[in-house]
């Protein structure tokens, strides 16, 4: 019988010394959030007391397997096979090294640590999204390649109260209570109204070792973007995004506003993306996407683009996982509507940013901010590998207005239901995510689709109640 009191070797690589040092450096912290990220990117777990932390680092913490088979509302999805098929037994979650951090502004003071799920014998639980990304990183390492990257975080700051029509509205400035209904894109003065909140966000990010950098006012009232510094370790880049979303939500709440990570919260304005910048380094640390002298583009870069274009349609459920995600994809909205690539062009799905060739990278733009960064990164890396292995050609570069050039023959799914069916039938996605998470993810999305499809909305009454 598994003995929970037996000191075990952590399969995540965590060590009790990390917890011991942290507790010594932070005598004020009384409790900790232990956070496991599910298929929807939602943090599930517990708040534990200070004296429990060492035991978690020594022995892990038992959590029910069904925690990875929940839909967006937290309801069990039996079709995942992770609920009664397993007797809803416990597995063991282990801390992720480097994610034990203080939480800024909590009272009483708390900390946080991210967790990954493993079987009781230490084997990885293959429906854990983070471990799916780890598998893709390991497969690349076996080829002598190492992915680097960073995510961009777009989000809205909304008022806690709705407007007179029941719609969400941009939050008032926390500094002086002003509210703007204008698109204040790139307005520096507009940012000043949220200065106290962003000051706390930066303080929280610093405390957690998250390289949060530039903040801008984005392309809608109440919309903002935070950029993250590039990481040589793509696993850490995904952790950064997960942790940043959590702290932005928490700090916004403390300032009396709501941080919204829906892909499209306001119908008249652009939605929020989660662009993923990615490159590959070889064992010597050289960027394989950098073109050699005399080359226009590196063959590796072109093949990677070809793989991402070839697999984009069947992967869209990962990039746009919710019903609301699909409201973001409209022309002239800065969200891509076709599997295209271009240089220094924001109307395409895959952008090659201008700049120093040594920093050559791909900006993957389809994902909404509501997507799971672990699954996005895993799927993108798998698409790149397919392109490299098969020498795929991305086709001609898109120049000018990519929206006008979107092909009518595109195989991209037209809506959420089509994306679910494409994902279900995709051998590529089954390989990229692994068969267990593929089954889990598609089952969860199907259950959520059925919930939405059977709901009679206010719009239904508005259109049809007195007309048909």
């Amino acid at each position: 019988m598994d003995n929970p009191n037996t000191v075990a070797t952590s399969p995540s690589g965590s060590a009790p010394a990390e917890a011991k040092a942290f507790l010594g450096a932070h005598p004020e912290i009384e409790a900790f959030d232990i956070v496991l990220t599910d298929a929807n990117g939602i943090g599930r777990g517990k708040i534990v007391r200070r004296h429990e932390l060492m035991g978690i680092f020594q022995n892990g913490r038992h959590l029910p397997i069904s925690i990875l088979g929940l839909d967006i509302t937290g309801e069990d999805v039996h079709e995942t096979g992770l609920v009664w098929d397993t007797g809803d037994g416990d597995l063991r979650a282990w801390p992720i090294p480097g994610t034990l951090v203080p939480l800024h502004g909590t009272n009483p003071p708390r900390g946080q640590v991210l967790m990954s799920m493993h079987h009781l014998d230490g084997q990885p639980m293959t429906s854990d999204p983070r471990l799916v990304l780890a598998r893709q990183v390991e497969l690349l390492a076996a080829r002598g390649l190492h992915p680097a990257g960073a995510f961009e975080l777009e989000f809205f700051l909304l008022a806690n109260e709705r407007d007179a029509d029941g719609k969400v509205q941009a939050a008032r400035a926390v500094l002086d209570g002003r509210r703007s209904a204008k698109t204040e894109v790139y307005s520096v003065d507009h940012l000043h109204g949220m200065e106290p909140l962003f000051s706390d966000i930066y303080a929280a990010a610093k405390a957690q070792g998250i390289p949060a950098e530039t903040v801008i006012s984005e392309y809608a009232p109440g919309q903002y973007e935070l950029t993250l510094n590039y990481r040589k370790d793509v696993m850490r880049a995904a952790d950064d995004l997960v942790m940043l979303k959590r702290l932005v939500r928490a700090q916004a709440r403390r300032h009396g506003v709501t941080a919204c990570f829906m892909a499209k919260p306001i119908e008249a304005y652009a939605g929020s993306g989660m662009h993923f910048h990615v490159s590959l380094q070889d064992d010597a640390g050289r960027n394989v996407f950098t073109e050699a002298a005399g080359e226009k583009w590196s063959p590796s870069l072109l093949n990677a683009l070809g793989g991402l274009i070839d697999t984009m349609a069947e992967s869209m459920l990962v990039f746009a996982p919710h019903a609301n995600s699909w409201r973001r994809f409209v022309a002239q909205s800065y969200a891509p509507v076709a599997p295209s690539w271009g240089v220094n062009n924001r109307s395409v799905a895959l952008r090659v940013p201008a700049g120093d060739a040594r920093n050559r990278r791909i900006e993957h733009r389809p994902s909404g901010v509501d997507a799971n960064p672990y699954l996005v990164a895993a799927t993108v890396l798998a698409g790149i590998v397919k392109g490299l292995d098969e020498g795929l050609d991305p086709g001609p570069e898109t120049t000018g207005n990519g929206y006008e050039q979107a092909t009518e023959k595109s195989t991209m799914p037209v809506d959420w239901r089509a994306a679910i069916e494409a994902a279900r039938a995709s051998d590529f996605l089954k390989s990229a995510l692994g068969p267990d998470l593929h089954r889990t993810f598609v089952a969860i999305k199907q259950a959520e689709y059925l919930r939405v499809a059977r709901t009679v909305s206010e719009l239904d009454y508005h259109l049809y109640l007195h007309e048909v």
Side-chain angles (χ1 to χ4, degrees), residues 229-241:
N229 195 21
Y230 215 68
R231 293 277 199 182
K232 291 184 178 179
D233 178 358
V234 79
M235 296 291 295
R236 183 62 193 184
D239 292 338
D240 285 342
L241 199 284

Side-chain angles (χ1 to χ4, degrees), residues 77-113:
V77 178
H78 301 285
E79 292 79 5
T80 62
L82 299 180
V83 189
W84 301 124
D85 289 4
T86 66
D88 196 16
D90 282 345
L91 298 185
R92 187 176 288 182
W94 289 89
I96 295 169
T99 66
L100 178 58
V101 294
L103 293 176
H104 176 74
T106 51
N107 185 24
R110 293 200 326 277
Q112 171 185 280
V113 63

Side-chain angles (χ1 to χ4, degrees), residues 150-157 184-187 190-191 194 198 201-202 212-228 241 244 248 260-261 271-277 328 334 346 351 361 363 365 367 369:
F151 289 89
E152 297 174 6
L153 182 69
E154 295 179 359
F155 59 97
F156 281 79
L157 293 175
E184 305 272 7
V185 65
Y186 282 95
S187 169
H190 178 66
L191 293 175
M194 292 295 182
F198 281 110
I201 287 172
Y202 281 123
E213 295 194 330
T214 305
V215 60
I216 66 171
S217 179
E218 260 289 356
Y219 201 60
Q223 189 184 35
Y224 302 86
E225 178 185 283
L226 272 169
T227 61
L228 288 159
L241 199 284
L244 185 60
V248 168
C260 175
F261 300 109
S272 293
M274 188 181 70
H275 303 160
F276 177 40
H277 295 251
R328 176 172 160 259
Y334 290 96
R346 288 182 170 84
R351 174 176 174 255
R361 65 191 188 275
E363 180 187 3
R365 297 173 59 82
S367 298
V369 73

Side-chain angles (χ1 to χ4, degrees), residues 52-374:
E52 298 179 82
L53 185 70
M54 280 302 301
I56 291 172
F57 272 77
Q58 290 170 335
N59 305 301
R61 183 68 176 240
H62 286 150
L63 291 174
I65 189 174
S66 60
I67 202 171
L68 292 173
L70 303 175
D71 70 7
I72 194 71
T73 70
E75 296 282 349
D76 290 333
V77 178
H78 301 285
E79 292 79 5
T80 62
L82 299 180
V83 189
W84 301 124
D85 289 4
T86 66
D88 196 16
D90 282 345
L91 298 185
R92 187 176 288 182
W94 289 89
I96 295 169
T99 66
L100 178 58
V101 294
L103 293 176
H104 176 74
T106 51
N107 185 24
R110 293 200 326 277
Q112 171 185 280
V113 63
L114 301 185
M115 309 287 285
S116 59
M117 189 77 96
H118 297 260
H119 292 284
L120 298 181
D121 64 1
Q123 292 300 307
M125 200 288 165
T126 48
S127 283
D128 182 325
R130 191 179 190 277
L131 295 180
V132 165
L133 174 56
R135 175 175 166 271
Q136 289 296 331
V137 172
E138 290 167 1
L139 291 173
L140 278 165
R143 299 164 172 259
L145 295 172
H146 311 279
F151 289 89
E152 297 174 6
L153 182 69
E154 295 179 359
F155 59 97
F156 281 79
L157 293 175
L158 302 177
N160 292 337
E161 69 280 355
R162 304 289 181 90
D163 66 16
D165 296 321
K167 303 286 188 179
V168 298
Q169 56 185 334
R172 295 183 183 275
V174 299
L175 183 66
D176 56 16
R178 295 182 185 178
R179 174 179 286 136
S180 173
K182 297 181 291 184
T183 300
E184 305 272 7
V185 65
Y186 282 95
S187 169
V188 177
D189 290 344
H190 178 66
L191 293 175
H192 293 169
M194 292 295 182
E195 187 175 24
L197 169 53
F198 281 110
S199 178
D200 276 337
I201 287 172
Y202 281 123
K206 182 178 180 181
Q208 296 186 19
I210 299 172
E213 295 194 330
T214 305
V215 60
I216 66 171
S217 179
E218 260 289 356
Y219 201 60
Q223 189 184 35
Y224 302 86
E225 178 185 283
L226 272 169
T227 61
L228 288 159
N229 195 21
Y230 215 68
R231 293 277 199 182
K232 291 184 178 179
D233 178 358
V234 79
M235 296 291 295
R236 183 62 193 184
D239 292 338
D240 285 342
L241 199 284
V242 167
M243 295 167 72
L244 185 60
K245 284 180 73 172
R246 285 184 58 78
L247 74 84
V248 168
R249 181 179 282 115
Q251 297 306 322
R253 191 174 184 182
R254 290 190 175 91
H255 282 271
V257 300
T258 296
C260 175
F261 300 109
M262 291 173 62
K264 181 79 167 179
I266 302 176
E267 60 194 42
Y269 293 96
S272 293
M274 188 181 70
H275 303 160
F276 177 40
H277 295 251
V278 62
S279 60
L280 294 179
Q281 320 296 317
D282 64 18
D283 285 336
R286 292 184 292 263
N287 184 351
V288 302
F289 289 168
T290 297
E291 58 270 18
E295 289 181 335
K296 183 175 182 181
W297 301 112
S298 159
S300 294
L301 174 68
L302 294 175
N303 292 158
L305 290 166
L308 293 174
I309 287 172
D310 184 71
T311 59
M312 191 174 295
E314 57 199 302
S315 303
M316 281 305 298
L317 187 62
V318 170
F319 310 143
H322 307 293
N324 179 260
S325 308
W326 291 84
R327 307 192 197 288
R328 176 172 160 259
F329 296 106
V330 292
Q332 320 298 336
S333 66
Y334 290 96
V337 295
S340 55
W341 76 281
V343 181
N344 198 24
N345 187 334
R346 288 182 170 84
S347 68
V348 297
L350 303 169
R351 174 176 174 255
V352 179
D356 191 332
R358 292 172 297 180
N359 299 325
R360 190 70 69 216
R361 65 191 188 275
I362 297 169
E363 180 187 3
H364 184 272
R365 297 173 59 82
S367 298
V369 73
D370 56 343
N372 183 328
Y374 297 126

